[in-house]
Amino acid sequence: MKTAPPSLRPALCYVAFAVALSWSYWGLLLALGLRVDAAGVGAHPGVTHLPGLLGPAVAAILTARWYGGPGAGWALLRRAFTRWPRPAFRGWLLALSPLIAGALLWLVWYALGREMPPAAAFWHFPGLPAQWGPVAVVLAVVCVNGLGEELGWRGYLGEVLSQRCSRWSATCWVAAVWMAWHAPLFWLNASMAAMVGPMLLGWALGLACGAFVLAQVHEWSGRCVAVVALWHTAYNLVVATEAGHGAMTTVLSAGVMVWGCTTAAVWWRQRRRDGVNQSDSRVA
């Protein structure tokens, strides 16, 4: 007996919540005439785009509770931290691989006789006060940028969509929603506003490739959201900080794009092969 595919309602509800939560905060800043400058910090003290990044995580918890009952939100949070890969070092190696790659690139940079940035440049993160130390910056980025996004995009939306379609299709849908969700930042954040034009295509391609990379990290980690959140955080700490501007961002971004395109191609071929096999079985 053929079973009906799971309903799309939880996915649609999640998207509505995530957009409403994030855009309401970013929209409020825009309505007040506030902007975030190229360094990621507002001209007015305390103005930052980062709280809006919590929208996907809050939306995931709300949607899980809406469709699964009061305990479903807590279950989602528990799963995010209790699926750590075994042996543990494999999870840490995967989660911190962007930092490891960044350290190796900086060693090559130093060996070539290039000048290293000051130590503080390695933890000057967009949207956070410049006077914060490395521990405070890492904790804030893990909670807001890492878990704030990944609990929603990979931990909830990707999981829900993968029950209805192939992992290639699910990742494409997540990437499309993820791109659209960023829209207000092109008016709010000066660094993103500078990409409007030909650079926007490169940004979109890079984000799509990043969606496939993060989906594969999620799969390799045994669907552990904590590993994906740490990977996302580690990558942004390398490329988005003051020290990562320039060659570092170019090299690592190129690596992510190659990885993402390769993953997308492999999953596309598998999707087509599985589709043919299913058609053959129906004929038989």
Side-chain angles (χ1 to χ4, degrees), residues 76-173:
L76 177 66
L77 285 171
R78 283 196 301 271
R79 287 197 305 272
F81 298 98
T82 57
R83 286 182 172 179
W84 195 267
R86 295 289 184 269
F89 79 88
R90 185 169 68 89
W92 286 109
L93 186 64
L94 179 59
L96 301 180
S97 55
L99 284 179
I100 296 170
L104 292 174
L105 286 173
W106 277 118
L107 286 175
V108 172
W109 187 262
Y110 183 73
L112 293 174
R114 305 298 178 87
E115 185 178 355
M116 295 285 285
F122 287 91
W123 59 82
H124 278 180
F125 192 85
L128 294 177
Q131 64 270 25
W132 280 20
V135 174
V137 168
V138 169
L139 288 176
V141 178
V142 167
C143 292
V144 178
N145 192 194
L147 287 171
E149 291 200 56
E150 293 308 325
L151 187 64
W153 302 128
R154 257 55 62 175
Y156 189 81
L157 183 60
E159 292 274 14
V160 170
L161 291 175
S162 65
Q163 296 172 15
R164 186 180 177 91
C165 55
S166 69
R167 56 184 178 176
W168 185 89
S169 298
T171 305
C172 286
W173 282 114

